[in-house]
Amino acid sequence: MKKLINSTTFLAIIATWLWSTAFVGVKIGLEYHTPLQFAGVRFFISGILILILFGNYSRYFGEIKANLKLVLWLSVIQIFAQYALFYSGLNLVPGALGAMIIGSSPLFIAIVAHFAFHNDKMTLMKTLSILIGVAGIAVITLGRTKVEMRGELEFLGIGLLLVNNLVAGYANVLVSKSSKTISPLVLSSSTLIIGGILLSIVSIPVEGINTGPFPAKYYIALAWLSFLSAAAISIWFVLLRRPEVKVSILNVWKFLIPVSGAILSWLILENENPDLPSIIGMIGIAGSLLALNYANRRAIKKTELQKVVRPE
């Protein structure tokens, strides 16, 4: 049981499930708070939660000091830039189109990883598996909502979201290559805190200051979002630092986010019910994940065999 819980597959599924629950919380939060400021508060609290969990404060700040350049740069890239690009782009495109572009992020991350790592190249099986997953995302999204073009600014929005996907790939590579002298928990906590502060500072001239009062459901949503960000990002950073984990294959698990989100909507929302396009899309994503994991296991076994049996 312990081996299963600590496995990359199990932890990746937990992280993607946590991220899939964010939609409802964000929707509630944005009813009462502006996007950048709400995100800044949420991420700051997430970082503080991890700091409290870590406990060893002298080690915490010592590791940050020794890796300050990495921490600052990752805070700007992973939290500030990504979130700013995400919301700026999403405001310019229809929700369905934005969901499809964001849902295709594993493809862009795989492309970035292809150029960043010698052992994480795009293969035919990997490419086909990821494209099947992207197609599954498109089927689920188009089955639930229609894409209606709004005007020329949509092209700018599409561009911003595509850049967001590339930035996400770069951030994943940074974490994977990061020095072992900094703990994944310290790295996730510090970047969340600094990124949250940066978002809050930028939000003041852009959005003003919103101090409430807020209803109880706002604080419940904020608490859950803060927890899930702390847990999911920490898990992801731990997995990215594992020597056997490839950035491209790990991020394919993110295809589960819209699947889990759709299932949660069917269970929680009264006007949401299963539909044929969503089920077809989910089957496609499941096939994509199974095929890619099968190919990855074969590649790992082949590598291990080559290490044992060396030609004389």
Side-chain angles (χ1 to χ4, degrees):
M1 179 62 72
K2 186 177 180 181
K3 186 177 180 181
L4 172 65
I5 293 174
N6 196 44
S7 69
T8 298
T9 298
F10 179 81
L11 291 173
I13 291 172
I14 293 296
T16 53
W17 176 80
L18 285 167
W19 273 318
S20 73
T21 67
F23 173 75
V24 175
V26 170
K27 190 174 182 181
I28 292 171
L30 294 183
E31 289 179 10
Y32 307 98
H33 217 154
T34 50
L36 294 178
Q37 204 162 109
F38 182 59
V41 173
R42 163 193 171 186
F43 291 136
F44 179 80
I45 295 173
S46 297
I48 295 297
L49 289 176
I50 302 171
L51 170 59
I52 294 170
L53 174 67
F54 189 76
N56 190 335
Y57 302 124
S58 60
R59 179 186 165 190
Y60 179 92
F61 290 106
E63 289 186 6
I64 292 175
K65 184 179 179 181
N67 298 272
L68 187 58
K69 185 178 178 180
L70 169 66
V71 168
L72 292 176
W73 183 233
L74 193 59
S75 300
V76 172
I77 295 296
Q78 174 83 4
I79 306 300
F80 178 74
Q82 264 194 263
Y83 203 87
L85 286 166
F86 173 77
Y87 264 93
S88 299
L90 208 59
N91 284 336
L92 297 175
V93 300
L97 181 59
M100 281 193 291
I101 296 172
I102 295 299
S104 68
S105 66
L107 174 61
F108 291 84
I109 294 172
I111 292 171
V112 174
H114 173 84
F115 293 101
F117 300 99
H118 71 277
N119 64 340
D120 200 359
K121 300 297 183 183
M122 293 290 287
T123 62
L124 179 60
M125 175 60 79
K126 186 187 293 185
T127 303
L128 288 174
S129 298
I130 292 174
L131 289 176
I132 291 170
V134 172
I137 296 291
V139 171
I140 291 174
T141 305
L142 293 175
R144 296 165 68 83
T145 51
K146 294 181 179 179
V147 175
E148 296 178 358
M149 302 300 284
R150 295 174 182 171
E152 294 180 0
L153 281 177
E154 283 207 347
F155 292 105
L156 174 60
I158 291 169
L160 291 172
L161 291 177
L162 291 176
V163 172
N164 173 76
N165 286 347
L166 291 173
V167 169
Y170 177 56
N172 274 257
V173 168
L174 277 179
V175 175
S176 182
K177 287 186 170 184
S178 63
S179 169
K180 299 301 184 286
T181 60
I182 183 168
S183 160
L185 288 180
V186 175
L187 191 58
S188 59
S189 173
S190 57
T191 53
L192 282 165
I193 291 172
I194 296 170
I197 292 172
L198 289 174
L199 283 169
S200 298
I201 291 172
V202 171
S203 74
I204 295 172
V206 175
E207 300 171 341
I209 300 177
N210 187 354
T211 57
F214 304 115
K217 67 176 183 177
Y218 167 86
Y219 291 107
I220 293 171
L222 178 61
W224 174 250
L225 288 169
S226 300
F227 164 75
L228 79 85
S229 292
I233 291 176
S234 294
I235 290 171
W236 210 252
F237 278 23
V238 167
L239 296 180
L240 284 170
R241 290 279 293 273
R242 289 184 172 180
E244 74 278 9
V245 170
K246 294 181 179 179
V247 170
S248 62
I249 293 176
L250 176 63
N251 276 275
V252 171
W253 287 104
K254 288 184 178 178
F255 283 139
L256 289 177
I257 294 175
V259 172
S260 180
I263 293 172
L264 286 172
S265 296
W266 296 337
L267 294 173
I268 297 171
L269 303 177
E270 293 181 1
N271 59 339
E272 291 279 348
N273 296 294
D275 54 82
L276 184 60
S278 295
I279 293 171
I280 293 172
M282 290 177 184
I283 292 172
I285 290 171
S288 167
L289 290 169
L290 289 171
L292 190 60
N293 275 277
Y294 172 73
N296 187 47
R297 287 178 184 276
R298 285 192 62 184
I300 291 172
K301 286 181 180 180
K302 184 178 179 181
T303 302
E304 290 175 348
L305 186 62
Q306 289 174 344
K307 290 179 179 179
V308 175
V309 183
R310 296 181 183 275
E312 295 182 359

